[in-house]
Amino acid sequence: MSEIETLLREHTDNVDAALSGFEGQIASINDAVQALQRSQSQQPHRPAAARGGSIVPPGALATSGVDLTAGFGLADARNLSFTDDARKELANIMRGVSTSAMREGNDPDGGYLVPEVIRNQIEALVLRQSPIRRVARVVDFTESPKVVLPVNMRGATAGWVGEGDERTETDTPELAAVTPPGGTLYALPSASEEVVDDAIVNLEQFLEENVVDAFAENESEAFIRGNGIKKPAGFLAPDRVPTADVDGTRPLGTLQYIPTGEAALLGDDMVSTLVAMVFSLKAGYRQAPGVSWLGSTDVIAALARLKDADGRPLYIPSLQEGVPGRLLGFPVLEAEHMDEVAANAFPLAFGNWQRGYVIGDRTRLNVLRDPYTTKGQIKWYFRKRVHGAVLNSEALKVLKVAAA
């Protein structure tokens, strides 16, 4: 019996030594195993306690042994892959585990910033689905609650002089100010505690389905036709109806339209109309980077059927993923929130979006986990503040389905 007692004592001493440094942090047998594995691992990733964070509280990991990073097939399909650390951090967010990498200050109520790599993944997916973001000028507004962007209204003059001639004062260019309106874009998905405990094995797909799609769709609609009230002002905002007036005669922020020549159709001579749109844009805008078409699915389908006099299609679809097709040499982006072809509709836009439209990100994406508001339900509150407005109305043109 004494030999058995000796063996048991030696085994206990070995376990105690291995668990040294984890006193008060072990909530279950599974936690002990995980602690031992971390202590023996040579990977650079360290336990949360070693990084200044906290260990999972007792009872928080109801599904011991579940691989929280399994099932992440969506990122590979999109060419956007999460690292192992990113997956662990994301799993921690969903489960409510606090680590130093996620903490915003010392918020005791559970306010966390999305880890940098995960935020970048979400924003990259939004970028793929939000056509305006891909081409417009995106500015960081985080340093100021109100941003005023100057717009050169031209008006400057110059003259020729000879040696010794008097230099008289010339006209000074006029400057106008644009303050892009905006608001808070948010998503508030929820799940039962049982789902979180038993089936949280595909967090990336959860984010893609519940946040990315919603953010991209709302941004796209606001950038196109937002009214500027608690949201960005779109380039087709209700209070900025495009007119037929040429550059220099329209109010700031109002676009010029090119008519199709038919009251409710695209017209028989669509080629001439498209050429007119292209050359209604000043050469300085047209020849600079950032020029593209933006059209509804309906109008792009119609453009795909157009051919020149020799029977060659005007619209050249792309055979490479992520590369848009081209029309008259310029990229074509599809925007579902543009109008369909109908009387007085604006189904197609063309211009230099870098010069014509500005998007301002007032805050970065952040998430708040809320297990308290509704008993038995866990909610995740994603939010960011976004602004947007037409910056230079001379740099954008739209097609109007109208006789004139």
Side-chain angles (χ1 to χ4, degrees):
M1 180 68 70
S2 60
E3 293 180 358
I4 295 177
E5 290 178 351
T6 301
L7 290 174
L8 287 176
R9 187 177 298 108
E10 290 177 353
H11 178 71
T12 302
D13 291 341
N14 290 336
V15 172
D16 290 342
L19 295 179
S20 177
F22 295 97
E23 292 85 353
Q25 300 175 0
I26 304 303
S28 66
I29 296 299
N30 185 66
D31 290 340
V33 173
Q34 293 178 352
L36 285 168
Q37 291 174 341
R38 289 196 299 267
S39 68
Q40 297 171 359
S41 175
Q42 299 300 317
Q43 300 296 323
H45 178 70
R46 294 172 296 161
R51 299 194 308 271
S54 59
I55 300 298
V56 183
L61 292 177
T63 56
S64 300
V66 175
D67 181 5
L68 298 182
T69 65
F72 284 82
L74 182 63
D76 293 335
R78 291 181 176 270
N79 256 340
L80 294 170
S81 58
F82 275 50
T83 65
D84 289 341
D85 287 343
R87 292 171 180 169
K88 292 175 183 177
E89 295 288 9
L90 186 52
N92 286 336
I93 288 179
M94 295 295 114
R95 286 194 177 279
V97 183
S98 172
T99 69
S100 59
M102 298 187 304
R103 197 179 302 276
E104 179 182 14
N106 292 307
D107 186 356
D109 298 324
Y112 305 116
L113 287 178
V114 181
E116 187 71 20
V117 64
I118 301 172
R119 183 199 348 261
N120 291 341
Q121 296 285 359
I122 295 174
E123 292 181 346
L125 290 175
V126 172
L127 181 64
R128 290 169 65 98
Q129 299 185 42
S130 180
I132 309 294
R133 264 197 184 272
R134 278 184 273 170
V135 292
R137 178 183 176 187
V138 181
V139 181
D140 188 354
F141 284 4
T142 57
E143 298 299 325
S144 174
K146 182 177 180 181
V147 176
V148 177
L149 301 174
V151 179
N152 187 355
M153 301 297 292
R154 306 298 177 184
T157 59
W160 295 94
V161 294
E163 182 179 357
D165 291 346
E166 181 181 359
R167 273 70 168 173
T168 58
E169 184 176 344
T170 61
D171 293 339
T172 302
E174 297 180 7
L175 292 178
V178 174
T179 302
T184 299
L185 179 62
Y186 79 96
L188 189 61
S190 64
S192 69
E193 291 178 342
E194 289 76 14
V195 169
V196 174
D197 289 341
D198 300 336
I200 192 164
V201 295
N202 199 338
L203 300 178
E204 185 181 355
Q205 183 177 1
F206 175 87
L207 289 176
E208 194 275 339
E209 292 178 349
N210 292 277
V211 180
V212 174
D213 288 346
F215 273 34
E217 182 174 354
N218 280 271
E219 277 195 353
S220 179
E221 183 177 15
F223 297 153
I224 292 173
R225 56 185 67 258
N227 59 13
I229 301 175
K230 301 178 183 179
K231 65 177 66 173
F235 62 88
L236 293 178
D239 61 338
R240 296 282 185 175
V241 180
T243 71
D245 298 334
V246 298
D247 294 346
T249 63
R250 303 187 308 276
L252 178 67
T254 301
L255 306 186
Q256 177 188 1
Y257 73 75
I258 309 299
T260 61
E262 298 258 354
L265 301 172
L266 292 178
D268 296 331
D269 192 8
M270 193 60 186
V271 176
S272 297
T273 303
L274 295 174
V275 171
M277 283 190 70
V278 171
F279 286 96
S280 66
L281 199 66
K282 291 181 178 178
Y285 302 133
R286 189 174 65 249
Q287 298 171 5
V291 180
S292 65
W293 301 89
L294 186 74
S296 65
T297 305
D298 193 26
V299 77
I300 293 178
L303 295 176
R305 295 190 291 269
L306 290 178
K307 296 182 180 180
D308 62 14
D310 297 324
R312 294 172 299 188
L314 291 180
Y315 174 69
I316 308 299
S318 173
L319 300 179
Q320 182 178 351
E321 182 182 1
V323 178
R326 303 184 81 85
L327 176 66
L328 298 180
F330 297 99
V332 180
L333 299 178
E334 183 178 351
E336 295 180 354
H337 293 94
M338 292 287 288
D339 294 336
E340 295 184 355
V341 177
N344 297 316
F346 300 97
L348 184 66
F350 175 78
N352 188 318
W353 300 92
Q354 287 284 318
R355 301 286 295 275
Y357 196 85
V358 62
I359 297 172
D361 289 329
R362 180 66 183 87
T363 63
R364 307 198 69 180
L365 177 69
N366 58 75
V367 59
L368 177 69
R369 183 181 186 273
D370 175 17
Y372 308 111
T373 302
T374 304
K375 302 304 181 187
Q377 290 285 320
I378 297 178
K379 300 179 180 181
W380 296 274
Y381 177 44
F382 295 84
R383 65 177 289 271
K384 69 179 297 187
R385 291 172 61 189
V386 183
H387 296 244
V390 171
L391 182 62
N392 186 342
S393 52
E394 291 187 357
L396 302 177
K397 307 293 178 181
V398 292
L399 179 71
K400 182 177 182 180
V401 181

